[in-house]
Amino acid sequence: MAGRTVRVQGFPAELPPDRAADKLTIHFLRSRNGGGDIANVRVLPGSLPCALITFEAPEVAQRILKVKNHVLAIGKTQYPLEVTPHAAELSPNEVLRG
């Protein structure tokens, strides 16, 4: 899945993982955000939660990475998202927390 997956951080930790996945899916499906068809969204909870979003096509992931300011709106609050490449799938035992 290398090349199709991005790592997203910056959404609120208090958001339940299933709701975070729904909000991120909606954001990254929108063409105005550079998005496209999504194969999988996996939310890794924690004090600094992150999500791994895998797109159907690698060019969608590349477009997402080129967009400079991703902002997730939840209600009236805006959350700036940090979107970075995710090179490989990691098993839960390989994920390091800071």
XYZ file of all heavy atoms in Angstrom:
744
model
N 0.809 -1.201 0.000
C 0.000 0.000 0.000
C 0.849 1.260 0.000
O 0.321 2.340 0.138
C -0.933 -0.017 1.208
C -2.074 -0.992 1.067
S -3.376 -0.624 2.230
C -3.373 -2.119 3.186
N 2.157 1.113 -0.147
C 3.030 2.282 -0.165
C 2.645 3.193 -1.319
O 2.330 2.723 -2.404
C 4.480 1.851 -0.282
N 2.663 4.483 -1.057
C 2.331 5.450 -2.075
C 0.866 5.829 -2.090
O 0.506 6.845 -2.654
N 0.004 5.027 -1.477
C -1.426 5.334 -1.446
C -1.886 5.776 -0.067
O -3.029 6.179 0.099
C -2.249 4.099 -1.855
C -2.000 3.659 -3.285
C -2.959 2.571 -3.727
N -2.961 1.440 -2.821
C -4.064 0.799 -2.440
N -5.250 1.169 -2.855
N -3.980 -0.230 -1.625
N -1.010 5.675 0.938
C -1.410 5.941 2.322
C -0.764 7.210 2.846
O 0.429 7.437 2.655
C -1.040 4.743 3.218
O -1.663 3.573 2.697
C -1.505 4.955 4.651
N -1.576 8.033 3.527
C -1.073 9.226 4.199
C -1.391 9.120 5.685
O -2.320 8.425 6.085
C -1.672 10.535 3.619
C -1.288 10.710 2.161
C -3.175 10.594 3.797
N -0.576 9.802 6.483
C -0.782 9.879 7.933
C -1.342 11.259 8.232
O -0.825 12.262 7.741
C 0.549 9.679 8.653
C 0.475 9.861 10.156
C 1.858 9.720 10.787
N 2.295 8.354 10.752
C 2.108 7.476 11.751
N 1.493 7.858 12.840
N 2.539 6.250 11.657
N -2.400 11.291 9.032
C -3.064 12.556 9.361
C -3.083 12.737 10.874
O -3.462 11.830 11.618
C -4.520 12.569 8.824
C -5.206 13.878 9.186
C -4.543 12.339 7.324
N -2.653 13.912 11.329
C -2.691 14.269 12.745
C -3.313 15.649 12.874
O -3.353 16.414 11.919
C -1.287 14.273 13.337
C -0.657 12.891 13.374
C 0.758 12.933 13.899
O 1.663 13.327 13.197
N 0.913 12.532 15.145
N -3.797 15.958 14.072
C -4.321 17.298 14.337
C -5.796 17.322 14.687
O -6.316 18.354 15.082
N -6.472 16.185 14.543
C -7.884 16.151 14.932
C -7.971 15.914 16.433
O -7.031 15.416 17.048
C -8.667 15.097 14.122
C -8.096 13.707 14.164
C -8.539 12.796 15.105
C -7.126 13.319 13.261
C -8.025 11.509 15.139
C -6.604 12.035 13.289
C -7.059 11.129 14.240
N -9.088 16.289 17.075
C -9.163 16.245 18.541
C -9.124 14.821 19.099
O -9.792 13.924 18.588
C -10.486 16.928 18.862
C -11.274 16.905 17.606
C -10.303 16.837 16.473
N -8.342 14.653 20.169
C -8.191 13.346 20.822
C -9.497 12.872 21.445
O -9.720 11.667 21.573
C -7.085 13.406 21.878
N -10.367 13.825 21.850
C -11.618 13.430 22.516
C -12.676 12.917 21.534
O -13.709 12.397 21.940
C -12.182 14.580 23.348
C -12.585 15.803 22.572
C -11.457 16.807 22.357
O -10.286 16.507 22.683
O -11.754 17.903 21.863
N -12.418 13.050 20.245
C -13.351 12.552 19.235
C -13.265 11.024 19.189
O -12.178 10.482 19.034
C -12.968 13.141 17.875
C -14.014 13.195 16.784
C -15.201 14.052 17.204
C -13.409 13.760 15.517
N -14.401 10.307 19.348
C -14.345 8.845 19.283
C -13.768 8.385 17.934
O -14.028 9.025 16.910
C -15.813 8.421 19.416
C -16.502 9.584 20.048
C -15.747 10.813 19.598
N -12.985 7.311 17.925
C -12.330 6.867 16.685
C -13.278 6.674 15.501
O -12.939 7.062 14.380
C -11.665 5.548 17.076
C -11.422 5.692 18.540
C -12.575 6.501 19.070
N -14.475 6.138 15.725
C -15.389 5.939 14.599
C -15.890 7.271 14.045
O -16.029 7.448 12.837
C -16.550 5.016 14.975
C -17.388 5.536 16.146
O -16.880 6.323 16.967
O -18.559 5.124 16.236
N -16.121 8.239 14.916
C -16.553 9.570 14.462
C -15.406 10.301 13.759
O -15.615 10.969 12.746
C -17.056 10.397 15.647
C -17.617 11.723 15.211
C -18.869 12.132 15.964
N -19.379 13.356 15.368
C -19.159 14.567 15.862
N -18.468 14.724 16.967
N -19.643 15.630 15.262
N -14.179 10.149 14.293
C -13.005 10.744 13.643
C -12.845 10.166 12.241
O -12.596 10.901 11.278
C -11.750 10.501 14.480
N -13.004 8.854 12.115
C -12.887 8.207 10.803
C -13.934 8.750 9.836
O -13.632 9.029 8.673
C -13.017 6.693 10.950
N -15.166 8.945 10.318
C -16.226 9.490 9.465
C -15.894 10.902 9.002
O -16.026 11.230 7.821
C -17.569 9.513 10.212
C -18.158 8.132 10.429
O -17.693 7.160 9.800
O -19.090 8.024 11.253
N -15.459 11.752 9.932
C -15.142 13.144 9.597
C -13.978 13.220 8.599
O -14.011 14.005 7.650
C -14.785 13.937 10.856
C -15.944 14.149 11.805
C -16.906 15.154 11.239
C -17.972 15.520 12.244
N -18.966 16.417 11.652
N -12.941 12.401 8.838
C -11.783 12.405 7.945
C -12.151 11.861 6.569
O -11.680 12.365 5.545
C -10.636 11.605 8.563
C -10.028 12.233 9.813
C -9.110 11.254 10.518
C -9.282 13.523 9.473
N -12.998 10.835 6.538
C -13.439 10.280 5.257
C -14.147 11.344 4.429
O -13.846 11.531 3.242
C -14.364 9.065 5.480
O -13.626 8.044 6.165
C -14.891 8.515 4.162
N -15.072 12.058 5.061
C -15.801 13.116 4.349
C -14.828 14.172 3.826
O -14.901 14.587 2.663
C -16.871 13.749 5.261
C -17.980 12.724 5.525
C -17.427 15.036 4.652
C -18.914 13.097 6.663
N -13.891 14.605 4.669
C -12.928 15.643 4.267
C -12.091 15.189 3.076
O -11.925 15.928 2.104
C -12.016 16.010 5.449
C -10.974 17.022 5.086
N -11.223 18.377 5.090
C -9.685 16.874 4.697
C -10.126 19.022 4.713
N -9.183 18.129 4.471
N -11.559 13.973 3.148
C -10.613 13.523 2.120
C -11.277 12.895 0.897
O -10.597 12.566 -0.063
C -9.566 12.600 2.740
C -8.594 13.349 3.607
C -8.652 13.248 4.987
C -7.650 14.194 3.056
C -7.774 13.959 5.795
C -6.764 14.913 3.847
C -6.832 14.798 5.215
N -12.599 12.755 0.900
C -13.326 12.359 -0.311
C -13.567 13.555 -1.223
O -13.688 13.404 -2.433
C -14.687 11.756 0.058
C -14.734 10.274 0.372
C -16.114 9.891 0.888
C -14.383 9.432 -0.843
N -13.632 14.752 -0.644
C -13.981 15.956 -1.397
C -12.887 16.338 -2.393
O -11.720 16.492 -2.020
C -14.227 17.121 -0.450
C -15.493 16.957 0.343
C -15.793 18.192 1.146
N -17.084 18.064 1.790
C -17.342 18.466 3.018
N -16.402 19.048 3.739
N -18.543 18.300 3.533
N -13.296 16.567 -3.628
C -12.321 16.941 -4.656
C -11.706 18.309 -4.374
O -10.544 18.539 -4.706
C -12.972 16.925 -6.039
O -14.071 17.791 -6.083
N -12.452 19.208 -3.732
C -11.885 20.535 -3.432
C -10.721 20.447 -2.442
O -9.927 21.381 -2.329
C -12.956 21.492 -2.919
C -13.442 21.171 -1.524
C -14.415 22.218 -1.047
N -14.787 21.937 0.327
C -15.901 22.340 0.886
N -16.766 23.049 0.210
N -16.164 22.049 2.134
N -10.628 19.340 -1.698
C -9.503 19.121 -0.785
C -8.413 18.275 -1.436
O -7.478 17.859 -0.769
C -9.995 18.439 0.493
C -10.963 19.317 1.267
O -10.837 20.527 1.276
N -11.948 18.712 1.901
N -8.563 17.990 -2.732
C -7.599 17.154 -3.430
C -7.929 15.679 -3.325
O -7.175 14.832 -3.787
N -9.032 15.362 -2.697
C -9.356 13.979 -2.366
C -9.896 13.144 -3.500
O -9.976 13.572 -4.646
N -10.261 11.919 -3.118
C -10.784 10.951 -4.064
C -11.214 9.704 -3.313
O -11.345 9.724 -2.085
N -11.413 8.632 -4.050
C -11.906 7.388 -3.460
C -10.941 6.837 -2.412
O -9.733 6.766 -2.637
C -12.144 6.338 -4.539
C -13.306 6.709 -5.447
O -14.179 7.490 -5.014
O -13.334 6.224 -6.589
N -11.510 6.441 -1.284
C -10.734 5.952 -0.141
C -10.937 4.452 0.011
O -12.073 3.966 -0.029
C -11.166 6.691 1.140
C -10.784 8.172 1.032
C -10.548 6.052 2.378
C -11.315 9.033 2.154
N -9.838 3.725 0.195
C -9.905 2.283 0.409
C -10.071 1.946 1.881
O -10.779 1.001 2.232
C -8.641 1.611 -0.138
N -9.419 2.735 2.761
C -9.431 2.405 4.184
C -9.050 3.621 5.023
O -8.192 4.402 4.628
C -8.438 1.265 4.446
C -8.499 0.764 5.870
O -9.567 0.551 6.420
N -7.353 0.564 6.474
N -9.689 3.744 6.188
C -9.318 4.758 7.185
C -9.127 4.025 8.501
O -10.023 3.334 8.971
C -10.398 5.845 7.355
C -10.020 6.816 8.467
C -10.629 6.590 6.048
N -7.941 4.140 9.061
C -7.657 3.499 10.352
C -7.215 4.572 11.336
O -6.197 5.237 11.128
C -6.569 2.442 10.184
C -6.429 1.565 11.423
C -5.569 0.370 11.145
N -4.172 0.769 11.246
C -3.171 0.091 10.733
N -3.377 -1.000 10.058
N -1.938 0.509 10.892
N -7.992 4.755 12.401
C -7.676 5.749 13.432
C -6.919 5.046 14.550
O -7.379 4.033 15.082
C -8.956 6.422 13.968
C -8.626 7.363 15.107
C -9.675 7.162 12.847
N -5.747 5.593 14.887
C -4.929 5.067 15.977
C -5.095 6.015 17.155
O -4.542 7.112 17.159
C -3.465 4.979 15.548
C -3.202 4.189 14.266
C -1.748 4.325 13.845
C -3.591 2.737 14.435
N -5.926 5.642 18.141
C -6.198 6.553 19.249
C -4.980 6.745 20.156
O -4.035 5.964 20.109
C -7.343 5.874 19.998
C -7.268 4.440 19.618
C -6.594 4.360 18.282
N -5.038 7.774 20.971
C -3.969 8.073 21.912
C -4.047 9.536 22.285
O -4.954 10.254 21.860
N -3.091 10.004 23.077
C -3.100 11.409 23.472
C -2.855 12.306 22.257
O -3.324 13.441 22.221
C -2.063 11.673 24.555
O -0.781 11.314 24.096
N -2.108 11.813 21.282
C -1.936 12.492 19.995
C -2.396 11.520 18.910
O -1.579 10.851 18.288
C -0.473 12.877 19.773
C 0.090 13.944 20.694
C 1.583 14.093 20.514
C -0.609 15.275 20.434
N -3.708 11.419 18.701
C -4.199 10.417 17.756
C -3.759 10.722 16.326
O -3.486 11.874 15.983
C -5.719 10.529 17.885
C -5.957 11.933 18.306
C -4.783 12.278 19.192
N -3.672 9.681 15.531
C -3.410 9.872 14.109
C -4.273 8.890 13.335
O -4.833 7.951 13.901
C -1.930 9.716 13.779
S -1.338 8.026 13.804
N -4.385 9.147 12.061
C -5.161 8.264 11.196
C -4.313 7.922 9.988
O -3.534 8.750 9.504
C -6.453 8.940 10.765
N -4.459 6.697 9.530
C -3.829 6.266 8.290
C -4.944 6.136 7.265
O -5.879 5.357 7.446
C -3.116 4.927 8.478
C -2.022 4.914 9.548
C -1.421 3.519 9.674
C -0.949 5.943 9.250
N -4.841 6.926 6.213
C -5.867 6.928 5.179
C -5.234 6.388 3.902
O -4.244 6.934 3.412
C -6.432 8.342 4.953
C -7.023 8.866 6.262
C -7.471 8.333 3.829
C -7.508 10.287 6.202
N -5.819 5.300 3.405
C -5.336 4.678 2.176
C -6.336 4.974 1.066
O -7.524 4.688 1.197
C -5.166 3.160 2.355
O -4.260 2.929 3.437
C -4.606 2.519 1.090
N -5.826 5.544 -0.003
C -6.661 5.892 -1.147
C -6.627 4.773 -2.179
O -5.696 3.959 -2.205
C -6.174 7.211 -1.767
C -6.354 8.378 -0.840
C -5.335 8.778 0.006
C -7.559 9.056 -0.785
C -5.505 9.831 0.886
C -7.745 10.111 0.095
C -6.717 10.498 0.928
N -7.644 4.739 -3.041
C -7.714 3.733 -4.100
C -6.554 3.898 -5.090
O -6.047 2.923 -5.613
C -9.048 3.827 -4.846
C -10.258 3.463 -4.014
C -10.387 1.971 -3.758
O -9.752 1.166 -4.454
O -11.137 1.620 -2.831
N -6.164 5.140 -5.344
C -5.125 5.415 -6.341
C -3.999 6.245 -5.731
O -4.256 7.176 -4.970
C -5.731 6.159 -7.526
N -2.737 5.928 -6.068
C -1.607 6.693 -5.507
C -1.625 8.167 -5.899
O -1.169 9.010 -5.133
C -0.362 5.988 -6.055
C -0.827 5.047 -7.095
C -2.289 4.829 -6.928
N -2.170 8.508 -7.070
C -2.188 9.921 -7.469
C -3.079 10.764 -6.566
O -2.829 11.948 -6.384
C -2.562 10.091 -8.948
C -3.810 9.411 -9.399
C -3.620 7.961 -9.864
O -2.552 7.367 -9.649
O -4.579 7.427 -10.415
N -4.093 10.156 -5.955
C -4.934 10.898 -5.007
C -4.117 11.241 -3.762
O -4.149 12.372 -3.280
C -6.206 10.110 -4.634
C -7.019 10.865 -3.582
C -7.054 9.844 -5.871
N -3.356 10.270 -3.256
C -2.501 10.530 -2.090
C -1.506 11.640 -2.402
O -1.264 12.515 -1.563
C -1.773 9.255 -1.670
N -0.958 11.642 -3.611
C 0.009 12.676 -3.983
C -0.662 14.052 -4.038
O -0.068 15.046 -3.618
C 0.668 12.334 -5.328
C 1.506 11.073 -5.288
C 2.468 11.024 -4.119
O 3.261 11.940 -3.911
N 2.403 9.961 -3.330
N -1.884 14.112 -4.552
C -2.624 15.388 -4.568
C -2.887 15.885 -3.157
O -2.731 17.070 -2.861
C -3.963 15.229 -5.299
C -3.899 15.333 -6.784
C -5.270 15.613 -7.401
N -6.367 14.860 -6.841
C -6.882 13.748 -7.355
N -6.368 13.239 -8.460
N -7.911 13.160 -6.790
N -3.278 14.961 -2.281
C -3.556 15.326 -0.877
C -2.305 15.927 -0.240
O -2.378 16.921 0.483
C -4.015 14.082 -0.079
C -5.414 13.651 -0.502
C -3.922 14.297 1.421
C -6.527 14.580 -0.091
N -1.155 15.328 -0.504
C 0.099 15.808 0.092
C 0.502 17.183 -0.447
O 1.187 17.933 0.236
C 1.218 14.795 -0.156
C 1.056 13.488 0.616
C 2.024 12.435 0.090
C 1.243 13.697 2.114
N 0.060 17.538 -1.643
C 0.412 18.834 -2.226
C -0.439 19.977 -1.673
O -0.040 21.131 -1.758
C 0.282 18.777 -3.747
C 1.377 17.963 -4.394
C 1.204 17.910 -5.890
C 2.280 17.012 -6.490
N 2.058 16.782 -7.914
N -1.607 19.648 -1.117
C -2.461 20.688 -0.534
C -1.804 21.154 0.767
O -1.506 20.350 1.645
C -3.891 20.153 -0.272
C -4.725 21.175 0.473
C -4.556 19.769 -1.584
N -1.566 22.444 0.880
C -0.798 22.959 2.024
C -1.599 23.046 3.317
O -1.067 22.790 4.386
C -0.226 24.348 1.687
C 0.784 24.320 0.577
C 2.006 23.508 0.964
C 3.005 23.448 -0.164
N 3.845 22.290 -0.124
N -2.869 23.439 3.241
C -3.625 23.675 4.462
C -4.904 22.849 4.490
O -5.917 23.268 3.943
C -3.979 25.164 4.594
C -2.745 26.024 4.736
O -1.887 25.737 5.554
N -2.655 27.064 3.944
N -4.829 21.691 5.113
C -6.034 20.902 5.346
C -6.608 21.338 6.688
O -5.898 21.356 7.694
C -5.708 19.401 5.407
C -5.424 18.814 4.073
N -6.416 18.513 3.171
C -4.264 18.471 3.482
C -5.879 18.001 2.092
N -4.574 17.969 2.244
N -7.882 21.706 6.710
C -8.549 22.133 7.937
C -9.828 21.326 8.079
O -10.671 21.328 7.180
C -8.855 23.647 7.929
C -9.588 24.046 9.197
C -7.571 24.451 7.776
N -9.948 20.632 9.195
C -11.132 19.841 9.487
C -12.071 20.685 10.340
O -11.693 21.141 11.420
C -10.734 18.565 10.237
C -11.860 17.591 10.551
C -12.421 16.996 9.265
C -11.346 16.479 11.456
N -13.280 20.908 9.840
C -14.272 21.687 10.581
C -15.211 20.734 11.303
O -15.807 19.851 10.692
C -15.052 22.578 9.633
N -15.289 20.888 12.627
C -16.228 20.112 13.434
C -17.041 21.125 14.219
O -16.518 21.795 15.114
C -15.506 19.123 14.371
C -14.661 18.154 13.557
C -16.522 18.373 15.233
C -13.829 17.191 14.387
N -18.301 21.255 13.847
C -19.115 22.313 14.431
C -18.531 23.650 14.008
O -18.280 23.882 12.837
N -18.286 24.515 14.973
C -17.719 25.833 14.671
C -16.216 25.875 14.883
O -15.594 26.921 14.725
C -18.399 26.895 15.533
C -19.857 27.070 15.182
C -20.504 28.151 15.997
C -21.965 28.283 15.600
N -22.658 29.303 16.336
N -15.631 24.734 15.244
C -14.195 24.692 15.512
C -13.446 24.165 14.292
O -13.878 23.219 13.648
C -13.907 23.786 16.729
O -14.711 24.225 17.825
C -12.449 23.859 17.131
N -12.314 24.800 14.001
C -11.467 24.414 12.877
C -10.187 23.776 13.416
O -9.542 24.339 14.295
C -11.104 25.657 12.058
C -12.281 26.470 11.627
C -12.683 26.177 10.200
O -11.869 25.798 9.394
N -13.947 26.362 9.895
N -9.854 22.611 12.890
C -8.650 21.903 13.314
C -7.686 21.802 12.134
O -7.974 21.116 11.160
C -8.990 20.492 13.804
C -9.882 20.487 15.010
C -11.263 20.412 14.887
C -9.338 20.572 16.294
C -12.094 20.412 15.999
C -10.163 20.583 17.409
C -11.535 20.503 17.254
O -12.344 20.513 18.355
N -6.521 22.485 12.217
C -5.536 22.337 11.143
C -4.946 20.922 11.205
O -4.531 20.453 12.270
C -4.486 23.395 11.449
C -4.733 23.836 12.849
C -6.110 23.415 13.243
N -4.941 20.249 10.078
C -4.433 18.881 10.023
C -3.019 18.857 9.467
O -2.678 19.630 8.576
C -5.333 18.024 9.122
C -6.797 17.896 9.540
C -7.557 17.106 8.491
C -6.909 17.237 10.905
N -2.218 17.960 9.997
C -0.880 17.714 9.465
C -0.961 16.418 8.664
O -1.312 15.372 9.199
C 0.129 17.569 10.607
C 1.523 17.265 10.130
C 2.486 16.989 11.277
O 2.139 17.254 12.444
O 3.577 16.488 10.985
N -0.658 16.507 7.373
C -0.740 15.353 6.484
C 0.656 15.051 5.963
O 1.313 15.912 5.381
C -1.705 15.626 5.307
C -1.813 14.403 4.411
C -3.081 16.042 5.822
N 1.119 13.824 6.204
C 2.460 13.414 5.790
C 2.381 12.057 5.086
O 1.427 11.303 5.291
C 3.412 13.316 7.004
O 2.832 12.419 7.959
C 3.635 14.666 7.652
N 3.397 11.729 4.286
C 3.396 10.416 3.624
C 3.530 9.302 4.654
O 4.170 9.481 5.696
C 4.625 10.444 2.723
C 5.110 11.842 2.712
C 4.542 12.540 3.899
N 2.945 8.179 4.362
C 3.114 6.991 5.202
C 3.665 5.916 4.287
O 2.971 5.423 3.404
C 1.779 6.576 5.829
C 1.908 5.419 6.758
N 2.583 5.505 7.952
C 1.475 4.141 6.659
C 2.541 4.325 8.557
N 1.880 3.486 7.789
N 4.924 5.546 4.503
C 5.643 4.709 3.550
C 5.213 3.248 3.574
O 5.221 2.585 2.552
C 7.135 4.817 3.804
N 4.856 2.730 4.726
C 4.560 1.298 4.812
C 3.530 1.053 5.898
O 3.401 1.831 6.828
C 5.830 0.518 5.107
N 2.850 -0.051 5.772
C 1.929 -0.455 6.828
C 2.745 -0.978 8.007
O 3.656 -1.783 7.827
C 1.013 -1.574 6.318
C -0.054 -1.076 5.379
C -1.056 -0.163 6.075
O -1.590 -0.546 7.122
O -1.285 0.943 5.560
N 2.411 -0.529 9.184
C 3.088 -0.985 10.394
C 2.149 -1.866 11.205
O 0.959 -1.619 11.271
C 3.511 0.206 11.252
C 4.477 1.196 10.640
C 4.701 2.353 11.595
C 5.793 0.527 10.304
N 2.721 -2.867 11.846
C 1.904 -3.639 12.763
C 1.762 -2.816 14.037
O 2.577 -1.942 14.316
C 2.565 -4.986 13.063
O 3.649 -4.803 13.958
N 0.738 -3.078 14.866
C 0.577 -2.301 16.108
C 1.815 -2.333 16.982
O 2.088 -1.392 17.720
C -0.608 -2.977 16.788
C -1.379 -3.594 15.670
C -0.349 -4.012 14.643
N 2.603 -3.400 16.931
C 3.807 -3.496 17.762
C 4.928 -2.595 17.260
O 5.868 -2.306 17.981
C 4.310 -4.937 17.796
C 3.354 -5.848 18.532
O 2.554 -5.403 19.348
N 3.408 -7.127 18.216
N 4.838 -2.129 16.014
C 5.885 -1.281 15.464
C 5.588 0.207 15.600
O 6.446 1.027 15.364
C 6.070 -1.600 13.969
C 6.613 -2.982 13.703
C 6.620 -3.292 12.215
O 5.520 -3.305 11.629
O 7.692 -3.522 11.676
N 4.375 0.542 15.998
C 3.999 1.948 16.131
C 4.590 2.493 17.423
O 4.347 1.970 18.502
C 2.455 2.110 16.136
C 2.086 3.557 16.365
C 1.872 1.620 14.824
N 5.383 3.542 17.293
C 6.021 4.146 18.455
C 5.269 5.406 18.835
O 4.893 6.195 17.975
C 7.484 4.484 18.138
C 8.359 3.303 17.754
C 9.748 3.781 17.383
C 8.450 2.310 18.882
N 5.064 5.603 20.091
C 4.373 6.805 20.591
C 5.385 7.683 21.312
O 6.221 7.196 22.053
C 3.273 6.416 21.586
C 2.233 5.537 20.939
C 0.967 6.325 20.740
N 0.005 5.528 20.043
C -0.623 5.935 18.956
N -0.377 7.106 18.477
N -1.507 5.164 18.389
N 5.266 8.979 21.086
C 6.179 9.922 21.722
C 5.669 10.428 23.016
O 4.606 10.211 23.465
